[in-house]
């Protein structure tokens, strides 16, 4: 069963502006590590030595062992690692480093399962002789490696001169960069297109809405680097770090440093080598081909969309009734502007509670008639779908009865548990106190599918707007469990589950402090110095 501790590194917990009644633990002021003058320097650690190296036609494997006494910069260094190098396709090479000893109790700390994020694989034919990428390494003074593009000899990634650091909750790997390098990507952020050589990109999903130079809703740990050569065509390559934990990329004058608070080093290097229309490789590389290699080979192409989704759509928060929707549609027609689809925000819900419709403004019969009207005009309707499930007031029987969706989910234990109390993890979102589906529980998917089907019976939408798909709470900690009467929680929140095994990691206040400006339990952070 997944508890909130198990997903703490993915959830942004904020205290809402309005606040919720209750006594909450104080939030300390934390200085982000990159701005802390007293922070340790992991590059003073000993690094690792490679041994038991075994080479295959398309792969290389080795043990990595600490090259000296552990320095434990932020947390305990892991003494024994394994290295796996795979020439997966002609244009893609994978370098993976993770602990040697991983058991069922800690596998999720270091291994990102394929069911959550696609794991790129060997194509079954590429070897180190046919690949456009070459892996080279040295043990002097400690293990270091470099990736070179074979067709032009250009080095695209090199840890030479730096040590690899692998602690339980802090990993670091540095690559040397060319002068005045041009790196793009590492989304999601609002920043200059070229990231620059004095910038730190934090990747940690958060509901930060248009915050400048901060982490935002999504995490895409991939960059494309373009190099310009006097009088010669430019070259390009890509680097993808497959990791879902909070991480930072420190771009500095001559280096780029990758740091993460969990997961493993799981890097995919893309050569950007082009192919002509016959599939024959050419002697150059391009940014466009890097993007193709990343999307096709690493994360997968987007799903094919219905043709109508490519047209003009209108969405707005604040429409209070079907009458307003009809007026908007009519105004588009009057202005002779094609309108393919109209969307509803959370106004369509009853008191912002998902899987419901507002009976006054959006009665089910009226919505059926309105959507039939749209379909007669070859137009479509999209309804919002949030992730938060309203937690009814346990002291109010009428409130509990008015929202049966929660009861159906509680009956099959479909919601995330609070590891501290054993009750469901009760946070806050638009409807008030809320819980979230435990997607590691197969019953949660069945519950969700059934509720979406029920919602479609109320409002026969053509598509859904997946909103708040990052499990976002507006309060710090499990504010509902803190504020509500435990005796009432016991009756409504599925009882108390068996406490999970103790987790030795500090997931709420990890030893490495990421530069997250959003206020919450991973850090009520100071503004960076000017």
């Amino acid at each position: 069963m997944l508890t909130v501790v198990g997903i703490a590194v993915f959830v942004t917990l904020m205290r809402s502006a309005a606040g919720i009644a209750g006594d909450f633990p104080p939030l300390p002021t934390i200085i982000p590590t990159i701005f802390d003058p007293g922070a340790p320097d992991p590059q003073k650690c000993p690094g690792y030595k490679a041994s038991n190296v075994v080479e295959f036609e398309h792969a290389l494997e080795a043990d990595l062992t600490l090259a000296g006494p552990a320095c434990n910069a932020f947390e305990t260094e892991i003494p024994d690692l394994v290295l796996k190098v795979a020439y997966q396709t002609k244009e893609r090479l994978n370098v993976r480093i993770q602990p040697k000893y991983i058991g069922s109790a800690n596998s999720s700390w270091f291994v990102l399962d394929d069911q959550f994020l696609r794991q790129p694989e060997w194509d079954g034919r590429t070897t180190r002789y046919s690949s456009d990428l070459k892996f080279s390494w040295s043990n002097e003074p400690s293990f270091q490696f470099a990736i070179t593009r074979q067709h032009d000899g250009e080095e695209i990634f090199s840890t030479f001169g730096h040590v690899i650091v692998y602690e339980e909750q802090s990993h670091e790997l540095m690559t040397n960069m060319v002068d005045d390098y041009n790196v793009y990507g590492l989304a999601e952020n609002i920043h200059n297109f070229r990231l620059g050589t004095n910038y730190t990109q934090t990747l940690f999903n958060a509901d930060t809405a248009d915050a400048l130079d901060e982490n935002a809703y999504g995490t895409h740990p991939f960059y494309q680097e373009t190099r310009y050569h006097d009088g010669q065509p430019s070259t390009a390559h890509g680097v993808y770090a497959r990791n879902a934990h909070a991480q930072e990329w420190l771009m500095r004058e001559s280096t780029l440093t990758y740091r993460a608070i969990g997961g493993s080093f799981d890097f995919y290097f893309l050569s950007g080598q082009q192919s002509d229309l016959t599939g024959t490789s050419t002697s150059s590389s391009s940014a466009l081909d890097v993007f193709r290699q990343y999307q096709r080979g690493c994360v997968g192409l987007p799903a094919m969309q219905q043709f109508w989704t490519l047209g003009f759509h209108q969405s707005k928060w604040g429409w209070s009734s079907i009458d307003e929707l009809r007026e908007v549609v009519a105004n588009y027609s009057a202005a002779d502007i094609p309108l393919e689809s109209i969307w509803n925000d959370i106004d369509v819900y009853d008191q912002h509670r998902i899987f419901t419709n507002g009976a006054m403004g959006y009665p089910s019969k009226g919505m059926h008639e309105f959507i039939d009207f749209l379909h007669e005009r070859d137009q479509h309707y999209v309804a919002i779908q949030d992730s938060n499930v309203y937690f009814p007031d346990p002291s109010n029987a009428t409130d509990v009865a008015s929202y049966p969706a929660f009861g159906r989910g509680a009956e099959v234990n479909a919601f995330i548990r609070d590891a501290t109390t054993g009750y469901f993890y009760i946070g806050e979102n638009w409807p008030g106190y809320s819980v979230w589906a435990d997607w590691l529980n197969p019953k949660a998917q069945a519950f969700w599918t059934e509720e979406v089907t029920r919602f479609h019976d109320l409002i026969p939408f053509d598509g859904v707007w997946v909103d708040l798909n990052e499990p976002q709470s507006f309060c710090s900690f499990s504010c509902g469990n803190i504020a509500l009467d435990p005796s009432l929680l016991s009756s409504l929140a599925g009882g108390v589950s068996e406490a999970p095994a103790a987790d030795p990691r500090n997931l709420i206040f990890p030893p490495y402090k990421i530069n997250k400006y959003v206020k919450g339990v991973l850090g009520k952070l100071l503004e960076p110095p000017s």
Side-chain angles (χ1 to χ4, degrees):
M1 180 183 300
L2 182 67
T3 68
V4 72
V5 169
I7 65 162
V9 294
F10 300 112
V11 182
T12 302
L13 300 173
M14 302 187 303
R15 185 180 302 279
S16 67
I20 290 183
D23 296 324
F24 299 98
L27 296 181
T29 296
I30 298 174
I31 302 175
T33 296
I34 62 170
F35 298 124
D36 183 357
D41 179 7
Q43 286 301 305
K44 293 181 179 179
C45 290
Y48 292 82
K49 290 279 190 178
S51 61
N52 303 323
V53 180
V54 181
E55 287 194 80
F56 307 94
E57 277 204 340
H58 75 280
L60 178 149
E61 295 183 4
D63 291 333
L64 298 178
T65 307
L66 270 179
C71 72
N72 303 328
F74 292 100
E75 184 131 61
T76 304
E77 280 187 282
I78 297 177
D80 298 298
L81 308 174
V82 290
L83 164 72
K84 295 184 178 181
V85 179
Y87 295 88
Q88 294 188 331
T89 71
K90 187 180 177 79
E91 303 85 10
R92 185 178 73 245
L93 185 149
N94 175 222
V95 175
R96 191 179 310 170
I97 300 174
Q98 62 190 44
K100 185 174 184 177
Y101 304 106
I102 296 178
S104 58
N106 67 348
S107 62
S108 64
W109 303 1
F110 307 111
V111 178
L112 180 56
D113 196 278
D114 186 65
Q115 68 171 311
F116 303 121
L117 186 62
R118 171 182 174 176
Q119 178 82 65
E121 297 179 344
W122 178 43
D123 62 10
R125 59 182 182 274
T126 299
T127 69
R128 66 176 184 269
Y129 308 110
S130 62
S131 173
D132 186 40
L133 292 169
K134 177 184 177 181
F135 174 86
S136 57
W137 64 279
S138 171
N139 252 349
E140 297 301 330
S142 64
F143 174 74
Q144 46 201 337
F145 69 90
I147 309 297
T148 305
R149 193 189 294 108
Q150 301 238 48
H151 77 259
D152 59 9
E154 187 170 37
E155 185 178 81
I156 65 174
F157 196 92
S158 173
T159 71
F160 275 68
H162 313 289
V163 299
I164 292 174
V165 183
Y166 204 121
E167 300 177 349
E168 289 185 354
Q169 280 191 263
S170 178
H171 315 329
E172 176 171 303
L173 185 150
M174 297 179 68
T175 179
N176 301 311
M177 303 296 284
V178 300
D179 293 340
D180 201 27
Y181 56 87
N182 303 285
V183 163
Y184 310 89
L186 298 178
E188 187 172 31
N189 58 65
I190 299 177
H191 186 72
N192 294 336
F193 183 53
R194 176 179 177 269
L195 296 180
T197 60
N198 185 24
Y199 176 65
T200 298
Q201 177 59 49
T202 301
L203 296 180
F204 180 83
N205 294 7
D207 185 8
T208 51
D210 304 332
L212 186 64
D213 293 342
E214 296 182 21
N215 53 298
Y217 296 105
T219 292
H220 299 271
F222 162 77
Y223 73 80
Q224 182 271 130
E225 181 183 355
T226 296
R227 295 178 182 174
Y228 300 96
H229 311 282
D230 291 341
Q232 300 294 324
S234 63
T235 57
H237 61 270
V239 178
Y240 165 47
R242 184 176 173 272
N243 193 341
H245 285 74
Q247 57 193 267
E248 289 188 332
W249 297 73
L250 285 63
M251 282 146 275
R252 300 298 182 260
E253 184 176 358
S254 59
T255 61
L256 191 157
T257 302
Y258 170 81
R259 292 175 175 174
I261 67 171
S264 62
F265 296 122
D266 191 7
F267 282 80
Y268 297 81
F269 301 96
L270 308 174
S271 76
Q273 185 178 25
Q274 301 179 48
S275 299
D276 61 24
L277 294 178
T278 67
T280 303
S281 297
T282 64
S283 60
S284 59
S285 56
S286 74
L288 182 58
D289 278 270
V290 171
F291 297 138
R292 287 171 174 158
Q293 291 161 16
Y294 169 64
Q295 192 155 43
R296 290 175 181 170
C298 293
V299 295
L301 295 168
M304 180 65 73
Q305 298 297 305
Q306 298 178 65
F307 189 64
W308 65 266
T309 64
L310 304 178
F312 188 86
H313 295 231
Q314 172 66 62
S315 174
K316 180 179 179 296
W317 178 76
W319 290 325
S320 61
S321 69
I322 298 172
D323 291 339
E324 291 191 38
L325 297 184
R326 287 185 178 274
E327 183 178 358
V328 171
V329 173
N331 286 340
Y332 269 93
S333 294
D336 200 25
I337 299 175
L339 178 66
E340 199 69 49
S341 178
I342 191 164
W343 298 27
N344 258 130
D345 207 312
I346 56 176
D347 318 275
V348 74
Y349 295 145
D350 176 21
Q351 303 177 76
H352 300 165
R353 302 174 184 183
I354 67 171
F355 306 132
T356 68
N357 64 298
M360 296 297 292
Y362 296 96
S364 178
K365 182 175 182 297
M367 288 302 291
H368 276 259
E369 293 172 349
F370 172 64
I371 294 171
D372 285 342
F373 163 74
L374 291 177
H375 290 170
E376 290 170 2
R377 298 157 54 91
D378 290 327
Q379 293 174 309
H380 303 82
Y381 173 78
V382 173
I384 195 169
Q385 179 62 71
D386 281 355
S387 64
N388 47 273
V389 177
Y390 174 61
F391 181 81
D393 181 354
S395 66
N396 187 331
T398 301
D399 194 44
V400 173
S402 69
Y403 191 63
F406 169 80
R408 289 189 288 263
E411 186 176 357
V412 297
N413 198 28
F415 307 123
I416 294 169
R417 293 274 181 179
D418 181 351
T420 303
T421 65
Y423 297 123
F424 290 140
Y425 185 91
I426 306 170
E428 183 202 7
N429 209 275
W430 296 116
Y433 285 129
S434 301
V435 292
W436 287 266
D438 177 355
W439 295 113
L440 297 187
N441 178 355
K443 292 182 179 179
Q445 181 62 69
F447 155 73
W448 199 266
T449 300
E450 179 182 342
E451 295 305 322
V452 171
T453 301
R454 290 174 184 268
F455 185 44
H456 189 269
D457 290 341
L458 289 173
I459 299 176
F461 50 81
D462 299 298
V464 291
W465 165 14
V466 181
D467 183 48
L468 285 173
N469 54 308
E470 74 283 352
Q472 170 69 35
S473 178
F474 293 164
C475 65
S476 299
F477 307 101
S478 179
C479 52
N481 287 329
I482 294 171
L484 297 173
D485 185 339
S487 65
L488 295 173
L489 288 177
S490 183
S491 63
L492 189 59
V496 179
S497 70
E498 182 179 348
D503 192 326
R505 298 174 298 166
N506 187 342
L507 296 176
I508 304 302
F509 300 106
Y512 181 86
K513 300 355 182 248
I514 64 172
N515 184 32
K516 185 176 73 72
Y517 299 160
V518 178
K519 295 178 180 179
V521 294
L522 280 188
K524 182 181 177 184
L525 304 181
L526 300 176
E527 290 295 326
S530 58

